[in-house]
Amino acid sequence: AVEVIGKFVKDDQVPREKLADIVKRSCAAFRTIDVTPVVDVGGHMVLELFHGPTFAFKDVALQMLGNFFEYFLETGSND
């Protein structure tokens, strides 16, 4: 995830090591190590998006968003 997000977030916006920490903390709230596992259901591969704290697909984005808000509030960076 760090490599993908790093394509859109520059190092001068969020240093790479801090980005890695944000991703790690965001994924820690999920109940499975794969965060969003892909499972075989009757021959169809299905992406499970319900392993977050509220059992909803929105957890995938909102866990990270909260950690980004926290980072920008702590650093005073909002550019």
Side-chain angles (χ1 to χ4, degrees):
V2 175
E3 294 303 315
V4 173
I5 297 167
K7 303 259 185 214
F8 302 96
V9 177
K10 298 176 186 171
D11 284 340
D12 64 340
Q13 295 170 317
V14 179
R16 186 56 62 109
E17 60 276 356
K18 189 61 181 174
L19 180 59
D21 178 60
I22 289 171
V23 169
K24 181 179 178 182
R25 288 186 295 118
S26 299
C27 293
F30 287 79
R31 285 177 288 286
T32 175
I33 194 151
D34 293 330
V35 181
T36 57
V38 177
V39 297
D40 186 329
V41 179
H44 299 283
M45 301 310 289
V46 177
L47 179 64
E48 294 182 342
L49 299 173
F50 55 83
H51 294 283
T54 69
F55 297 96
F57 72 93
K58 64 181 174 58
D59 291 333
V60 176
L62 293 180
Q63 288 300 305
M64 192 162 299
L65 183 64
N67 287 320
F68 274 120
F69 279 156
E70 182 180 310
Y71 169 76
F72 289 120
L73 288 171
E74 286 175 356
T75 62
S77 173
N78 61 3
D79 295 333

